[in-house]
Amino acid sequence: MLKSMTGYGKGVFTLNERRFTFEIKSVNHRYLDINIRLPYVLNFLEDKVKKEISKVMARGKVDIYIGFETLAKDDINITLNTSLADAYIGTLSQIVEKYPVKDEISLALVARFPDVVSVEKCVFTEQTKQEVEEGLFGALTIALNGIVEMRSIEGESLCKDISNKLEYINENISIVESHLPYIQEEYSAKLKAKLDDALAGLAYDEARLLTEVALFADKSSVDEEITRLRSHLVQINEIIKSDDSAGRKLDFVVQEMNREINTIGSKSNDIEISKIVIEIKTSIEKIREQIQNIE
């Protein structure tokens, strides 16, 4: 079944006091173009995320946002710069000895000085990296399920609409076929009337008239074009019901349909058929616009 290239999904997953948010949205694009915004501490997972996305998406411009929060004590590393603390305390002690100040040197005071205590977040070991990957992919799975479902629902809607348009095109082709014999009869009648008028009732070669009509019929014949056009309709119906990525195939077949209907329009030289050709071309153009959003 067809899949749209437009969709959105969001997943939130918490594991071992780590919270992961995964948002993904996609729009139509000629190829698969994945752009990821994620905290630098998760950069080691970027390639794995792209590979996972490419398993379920073949085309589309995909934008991903990844959020990460942690309260896990294993992800936080606190260090004390003892040399700097010694220097601060030594300086403060000199101030106390030299000046009549009442305030005492406190632990809180020293700890507030720059770079005495450093807090480094998200220092991952090999073990915690595996846990982080598990948590991120938990959020990714939820988001992917959401966007795949949305793309499938919209794809199903596109499939139904395209099928209706194909049926409408086929009905109009049948009208063209039914009208073709009248074109030859009309041409024969007009040619005979012109000859009668030009020759003022004099006799003329009936065989020559029939030859001219036959030449016209051969020149204006659109049987091959109609056969190919109907073949393209069958192809499209088969493609939209398959599970393969269909967008590029459909784009090619629709181009061929345009070629055939343009040839029919140029050959027919008939007002009624020209009107029907316009209707068919309009439906083909609508299909072409729709398949631009098909994966």
Side-chain angles (χ1 to χ4, degrees):
M1 188 61 70
L2 294 182
K3 290 182 181 177
S4 168
M5 282 190 281
T6 301
Y8 174 81
K10 181 177 180 178
V12 178
F13 193 81
T14 301
L15 179 67
N16 297 337
E17 297 186 284
R18 301 183 184 97
R19 187 174 187 270
F20 302 86
T21 303
F22 196 104
E23 288 187 75
I24 178 171
K25 65 178 181 179
S26 64
V27 295
N28 60 316
H29 195 271
R30 190 172 181 182
Y31 305 105
L32 181 62
D33 179 21
I34 302 173
N35 301 289
I36 301 178
R37 291 173 54 201
L38 76 171
Y40 75 94
V41 295
L42 300 182
N43 280 342
F44 70 98
L45 291 173
E46 183 173 351
D47 288 340
K48 288 186 177 181
V49 169
K50 286 185 176 181
K51 287 180 182 178
E52 196 67 20
I53 299 299
S54 64
K55 289 179 183 178
V56 296
M57 295 183 183
R59 296 174 67 202
K61 186 178 185 304
V62 183
D63 291 313
I64 297 169
Y65 167 76
I66 297 173
F68 174 61
E69 300 173 63
T70 180
L71 295 175
K73 63 179 182 180
D74 293 339
D75 297 345
I76 302 172
N77 185 34
I78 300 176
T79 58
L80 170 65
N81 189 330
T82 55
S83 297
L84 188 58
D86 289 344
Y88 277 129
I89 291 173
T91 302
L92 291 172
S93 297
Q94 292 177 27
I95 294 173
V96 170
E97 291 175 3
K98 187 173 182 178
Y99 300 101
V101 292
K102 295 180 180 180
D103 291 340
E104 296 181 356
I105 302 172
S106 67
L107 176 63
L109 174 64
V110 177
R112 282 200 298 268
F113 286 123
D115 302 323
V116 172
V117 177
S118 299
V119 180
E120 188 178 4
K121 293 184 178 180
C122 304
V123 182
F124 300 138
T125 63
E126 288 304 315
Q127 175 63 33
T128 55
K129 279 186 177 180
Q130 292 180 8
E131 294 174 358
V132 167
E133 181 176 338
E134 183 182 349
L136 176 59
F137 272 69
L140 180 152
T141 300
I142 297 170
L144 269 187
N145 288 340
I147 194 172
V148 168
E149 182 180 6
M150 183 178 289
R151 285 160 63 108
S152 297
I153 291 173
E154 186 171 340
E156 185 177 353
S157 177
L158 287 171
C159 182
K160 290 179 181 178
D161 195 58
I162 290 173
S163 294
N164 291 336
K165 287 181 171 58
L166 293 176
E167 187 176 343
Y168 179 71
I169 290 172
N170 193 47
E171 291 172 357
N172 277 286
I173 292 173
S174 297
I175 296 174
V176 170
E177 284 183 309
S178 66
H179 193 73
L180 290 176
Y182 297 106
I183 298 176
Q184 185 175 333
E185 292 175 7
E186 186 179 358
Y187 177 78
S188 177
K190 285 182 178 179
L191 183 58
K192 189 175 185 302
K194 286 182 179 179
L195 288 173
D196 288 338
D197 184 58
L199 297 176
L202 297 176
Y204 54 84
D205 188 353
E206 289 285 345
R208 179 62 178 169
L209 174 64
L210 293 175
T211 300
E212 288 295 330
V213 172
L215 287 172
F216 171 79
D218 183 63
K219 184 178 179 181
S220 62
S221 174
V222 292
D223 291 344
E224 290 184 14
E225 287 79 7
I226 288 176
T227 299
R228 286 195 291 268
L229 189 54
R230 279 219 163 95
S231 173
H232 294 327
L233 295 181
V234 173
Q235 279 183 283
I236 291 180
N237 265 315
E238 291 175 351
I239 292 171
I240 63 178
K241 292 175 182 176
S242 71
D243 293 328
D244 298 330
S245 178
R248 293 178 186 174
K249 293 179 184 177
L250 289 172
D251 192 46
F252 173 77
V253 178
V254 167
Q255 287 182 39
E256 294 301 306
M257 288 178 66
N258 259 320
R259 192 193 314 276
E260 302 303 340
I261 195 63
N262 283 334
T263 304
I264 292 172
S266 62
K267 279 187 173 184
S268 64
N269 195 27
D270 179 80
I271 293 176
E272 292 304 317
I273 288 183
S274 294
K275 291 179 181 178
I276 299 170
V277 164
I278 290 172
E279 287 292 319
I280 294 175
K281 288 179 68 174
T282 300
S283 295
I284 292 175
E285 178 59 24
K286 288 179 180 178
I287 293 175
R288 190 196 68 79
E289 290 174 358
Q290 288 174 316
I291 65 175
Q292 300 307 308
N293 200 35
I294 293 174
E295 187 176 57

